[in-house]
mmCIF file of all heavy atoms in Angstrom:
data_model
loop_
_atom_site.group_PDB
_atom_site.id
_atom_site.type_symbol
_atom_site.label_atom_id
_atom_site.label_comp_id
_atom_site.label_asym_id
_atom_site.label_seq_id
_atom_site.Cartn_x
_atom_site.Cartn_y
_atom_site.Cartn_z
ATOM 1 N N VAL A 20 78.196 57.299 110.556
ATOM 2 C CA VAL A 20 78.743 58.358 111.058
ATOM 3 C C VAL A 20 80.006 58.119 111.909
ATOM 4 O O VAL A 20 81.090 58.677 111.726
ATOM 5 C CB VAL A 20 77.703 59.119 111.987
ATOM 6 C CG1 VAL A 20 78.416 60.317 112.684
ATOM 7 C CG2 VAL A 20 76.535 59.650 111.159
ATOM 8 N N PRO A 25 86.962 61.393 112.334
ATOM 9 C CA PRO A 25 86.335 62.706 112.707
ATOM 10 C C PRO A 25 85.796 63.459 111.547
ATOM 11 O O PRO A 25 85.265 64.549 111.799
ATOM 12 C CB PRO A 25 87.572 63.435 113.326
ATOM 13 C CG PRO A 25 88.678 62.976 112.607
ATOM 14 C CD PRO A 25 88.333 61.576 112.271
ATOM 15 N N ALA A 26 85.784 62.909 110.334
ATOM 16 C CA ALA A 26 85.283 63.646 109.253
ATOM 17 C C ALA A 26 83.806 63.604 109.268
ATOM 18 O O ALA A 26 83.169 62.577 109.874
ATOM 19 C CB ALA A 26 85.779 63.075 107.823
ATOM 20 N N PRO A 27 83.027 64.576 108.805
ATOM 21 C CA PRO A 27 81.592 64.548 108.796
ATOM 22 C C PRO A 27 81.038 63.525 107.729
ATOM 23 O O PRO A 27 81.704 63.269 106.687
ATOM 24 C CB PRO A 27 81.155 65.905 108.447
ATOM 25 C CG PRO A 27 82.272 66.460 107.646
ATOM 26 C CD PRO A 27 83.651 65.805 108.161
ATOM 27 N N VAL A 28 79.760 63.187 107.791
ATOM 28 C CA VAL A 28 79.104 62.445 106.813
ATOM 29 C C VAL A 28 78.009 63.307 106.282
ATOM 30 O O VAL A 28 77.323 64.025 107.021
ATOM 31 C CB VAL A 28 78.517 61.195 107.351
ATOM 32 C CG1 VAL A 28 77.700 60.393 106.378
ATOM 33 C CG2 VAL A 28 79.635 60.332 107.903
ATOM 34 N N TYR A 66 73.453 61.857 120.086
ATOM 35 C CA TYR A 66 74.549 60.921 119.549
ATOM 36 C C TYR A 66 75.330 61.564 118.379
ATOM 37 O O TYR A 66 76.417 61.158 118.153
ATOM 38 C CB TYR A 66 73.831 59.683 119.088
ATOM 39 C CG TYR A 66 73.275 58.868 120.240
ATOM 40 C CD1 TYR A 66 71.940 58.447 120.101
ATOM 41 C CD2 TYR A 66 73.902 58.616 121.389
ATOM 42 C CE1 TYR A 66 71.415 57.746 121.100
ATOM 43 C CE2 TYR A 66 73.276 57.961 122.478
ATOM 44 C CZ TYR A 66 71.912 57.525 122.254
ATOM 45 O OH TYR A 66 71.333 56.912 123.239
ATOM 46 N N ILE A 67 74.663 62.450 117.706
ATOM 47 C CA ILE A 67 75.140 63.129 116.552
ATOM 48 C C ILE A 67 74.865 64.666 116.559
ATOM 49 O O ILE A 67 73.918 65.044 117.309
ATOM 50 C CB ILE A 67 74.771 62.597 115.191
ATOM 51 C CG1 ILE A 67 73.164 62.729 115.051
ATOM 52 C CG2 ILE A 67 75.107 61.126 114.969
ATOM 53 C CD1 ILE A 67 72.540 62.358 113.683
ATOM 54 N N ARG A 68 75.678 65.442 115.909
ATOM 55 C CA ARG A 68 75.287 66.832 115.682
ATOM 56 C C ARG A 68 75.293 67.240 114.344
ATOM 57 O O ARG A 68 76.131 66.613 113.580
ATOM 58 C CB ARG A 68 76.204 67.700 116.602
ATOM 59 C CG ARG A 68 77.699 67.824 116.107
ATOM 60 C CD ARG A 68 78.447 68.765 117.018
ATOM 61 N NE ARG A 68 79.746 68.732 116.569
ATOM 62 C CZ ARG A 68 80.362 69.497 115.575
ATOM 63 N NH1 ARG A 68 79.626 70.268 114.835
ATOM 64 N NH2 ARG A 68 81.682 69.272 115.340
ATOM 65 N N VAL A 69 74.572 68.201 113.966
ATOM 66 C CA VAL A 69 74.424 68.661 112.603
ATOM 67 C C VAL A 69 75.253 69.975 112.483
ATOM 68 O O VAL A 69 75.303 70.775 113.409
ATOM 69 C CB VAL A 69 73.026 68.841 112.222
ATOM 70 C CG1 VAL A 69 72.937 69.214 110.798
ATOM 71 C CG2 VAL A 69 72.273 67.641 112.474
ATOM 72 N N GLU A 70 75.930 70.157 111.311
ATOM 73 C CA GLU A 70 76.779 71.302 111.130
ATOM 74 C C GLU A 70 75.992 72.608 111.449
ATOM 75 O O GLU A 70 76.584 73.508 112.132
ATOM 76 C CB GLU A 70 77.195 71.183 109.780
ATOM 77 C CG GLU A 70 78.219 72.340 109.465
ATOM 78 C CD GLU A 70 78.746 72.183 107.946
ATOM 79 O OE1 GLU A 70 77.870 72.102 107.003
ATOM 80 O OE2 GLU A 70 80.003 72.178 107.799
ATOM 81 N N LYS A 82 76.012 68.304 106.818
ATOM 82 C CA LYS A 82 77.078 67.499 107.424
ATOM 83 C C LYS A 82 76.722 67.095 108.868
ATOM 84 O O LYS A 82 76.280 67.990 109.588
ATOM 85 C CB LYS A 82 78.476 68.222 107.357
ATOM 86 C CG LYS A 82 78.887 68.405 105.988
ATOM 87 C CD LYS A 82 80.168 69.203 105.875
ATOM 88 C CE LYS A 82 80.477 69.451 104.500
ATOM 89 N NZ LYS A 82 81.436 70.426 104.231
ATOM 90 N N ILE A 83 76.962 65.884 109.095
ATOM 91 C CA ILE A 83 76.706 65.289 110.342
ATOM 92 C C ILE A 83 78.024 64.710 111.000
ATOM 93 O O ILE A 83 78.826 64.035 110.400
ATOM 94 C CB ILE A 83 75.669 64.167 110.372
ATOM 95 C CG1 ILE A 83 74.393 64.739 109.759
ATOM 96 C CG2 ILE A 83 75.472 63.418 111.749
ATOM 97 C CD1 ILE A 83 73.476 63.620 109.500
ATOM 98 N N TYR A 84 78.146 65.025 112.311
ATOM 99 C CA TYR A 84 79.360 64.589 113.132
ATOM 100 C C TYR A 84 78.837 63.803 114.240
ATOM 101 O O TYR A 84 77.698 63.966 114.846
ATOM 102 C CB TYR A 84 80.075 65.798 113.681
ATOM 103 C CG TYR A 84 80.700 66.823 112.655
ATOM 104 C CD1 TYR A 84 79.842 67.674 112.119
ATOM 105 C CD2 TYR A 84 81.994 66.663 112.319
ATOM 106 C CE1 TYR A 84 80.285 68.730 111.235
ATOM 107 C CE2 TYR A 84 82.419 67.573 111.332
ATOM 108 C CZ TYR A 84 81.645 68.543 110.794
ATOM 109 O OH TYR A 84 82.188 69.400 109.871
ATOM 110 N N ILE A 85 79.684 62.817 114.681
ATOM 111 C CA ILE A 85 79.392 62.020 115.917
ATOM 112 C C ILE A 85 79.777 62.746 117.190
ATOM 113 O O ILE A 85 80.868 63.554 117.084
ATOM 114 C CB ILE A 85 80.030 60.622 115.784
ATOM 115 C CG1 ILE A 85 79.459 59.607 116.874
ATOM 116 C CG2 ILE A 85 81.482 60.748 115.895
ATOM 117 C CD1 ILE A 85 79.840 58.295 116.641
ATOM 118 N N THR A 86 79.099 62.644 118.228
ATOM 119 C CA THR A 86 79.449 63.297 119.473
ATOM 120 C C THR A 86 80.112 62.347 120.483
ATOM 121 O O THR A 86 80.265 61.117 120.120
ATOM 122 C CB THR A 86 78.133 63.858 120.156
ATOM 123 O OG1 THR A 86 77.274 62.643 120.519
ATOM 124 C CG2 THR A 86 77.329 64.722 119.316
#
Side-chain angles (χ1 to χ4, degrees):
V20 174
V28 176
Y66 300 127
I67 59 175
R68 72 176 172 82
V69 181
E70 187 175 54
K82 294 177 182 160
I83 298 174
Y84 299 84
I85 194 165
T86 64

